[in-house]
Amino acid sequence: NAGVMQNPRHLVRRRGQEARLRCSPMKGHSHVYWYRQLPEEGLKFMVYLQKENIIDESGMPKERFSAEFPKEGPSILRIQQVVRGDSAAYFCASSPEAEQFFGPGTRLTVL
Amino acid sequence: DQQVKQNSPSLSVQEGRISILNCDYTNSMFDYFLWYKKYPAEGPTFLISISSIKDKNEDGRFTVFLNKSAKHLSLHIVPSQPGDSAVYFCAASAGGSQGNLIFGKGTKLSVKP
């Protein structure tokens, strides 16, 4: 059973471009979480999704950020018009019912 | 407003000795606590968890203790091994095992041979 997959592992964007981060949960997992980690900080919760539903987006910035988890395919975290402050490691986690299992992360660098 | 605090940024122990990592929290609604281990350029790896109805959970070399009155939990690793060297994150949830996690800033553990 493959673990949580995230791609790309590294993403470089210029200010104003769009960033799309993908997360494929572990097989059989229907819960997906996105977290962001800034340098020297812990992970900060962004959004919790189940298939086709956003359950909790209390950690998501109100503008430029969106997330989806369609019926088919990976979960997508989308950041529009990126700014330098968006540079961070973005981690996705999935769970069946209990503990969350994390992917390797996508490191976003905004030039 | 940091709800989960790991006050020691780093800890160094000798191989074979006990490592004790500490975590304090402020939100009395937290009912589920977890420890994760993280290597550079990798995602966090789940280690052990504890529900608020318990005060101790053990899994091999890892034991987590929860003191609800003090809002404090600790992770004990014994005996410590060089491969345990990593950053350890404490996390808490107010939604049971399915809630979103609030993480501490981590403690970097170095186990010296």
Side-chain angles (χ1 to χ4, degrees), chain A residues 24-74:
Chain A
S24 297
M26 291 176 72
K27 188 176 180 181
H29 289 194
S30 58
H31 305 255
V32 167
Y33 305 78
W34 284 93
Y35 293 83
R36 175 165 67 175
Q37 185 183 25
L38 296 170
E40 308 302 322
E41 296 282 325
L43 282 73
K44 294 278 196 295
F45 167 76
M46 299 180 76
V47 62
Y48 165 30
L49 310 103
Q50 292 182 21
K51 283 286 186 182
E52 299 184 280
N53 286 307
I54 296 174
I55 307 302
D56 180 355
E57 56 182 347
S58 58
M60 196 86 117
K62 294 288 184 280
E63 296 177 350
R64 302 188 298 108
F65 285 73
S66 62
E68 61 177 9
F69 188 17
K71 189 176 179 181
E72 301 289 339

Side-chain angles (χ1 to χ4, degrees), chain B residues 1 3 9 27-28 31 59 65 78 94 100:
Chain B
D1 175 28
Q3 298 184 67
N27 189 342
S28 57
D31 57 4
D59 184 1
F65 296 92
V78 56
N100 72 71

Side-chain angles (χ1 to χ4, degrees), chain B residues 13-90:
Chain B
V13 300
Q14 206 67 35
E15 181 179 7
R17 308 293 284 265
I18 184 170
S19 295
I20 300 177
L21 297 102
N22 293 303
C23 179
D24 297 294
Y25 62 95
T26 58
N27 189 342
S28 57
M29 299 299 291
F30 287 148
D31 57 4
Y32 196 68
F33 304 88
L34 308 90
W35 284 94
Y36 284 85
K37 172 182 178 180
K38 187 179 181 302
Y39 295 114
E42 293 185 14
T45 301
F46 168 73
L47 276 177
I48 192 167
S49 62
I50 187 166
S51 164
S52 59
I53 62 173
K54 294 186 174 182
D55 54 19
K56 177 182 174 181
N57 189 25
E58 191 172 353
D59 184 1
R61 296 186 298 114
F62 302 91
T63 303
V64 56
F65 296 92
L66 176 62
N67 182 335
K68 288 186 291 293
S69 60
K71 293 192 177 68
H72 177 84
L73 66 156
S74 60
L75 175 69
H76 292 210
I77 307 172
V78 56
S80 302
Q81 300 172 355
D84 296 329
S85 298
V87 178
Y88 288 77
F89 289 98
C90 168

Side-chain angles (χ1 to χ4, degrees), chain B residues 90-106:
Chain B
C90 168
S93 164
S97 58
Q98 288 190 29
N100 72 71
L101 299 177
I102 309 297
F103 281 83
K105 291 189 176 184

Side-chain angles (χ1 to χ4, degrees), chain A residues 2-3 9 12 15 30 35 42 48 59 61 64-65 71 75 91-92 95 105 108:
Chain A
R9 292 293 309 274
V12 179
R15 280 178 296 168
S30 58
Y35 293 83
Y48 165 30
R64 302 188 298 108
F65 285 73
K71 189 176 179 181
S75 175
F91 292 97
C92 161
S95 75
L108 172 65

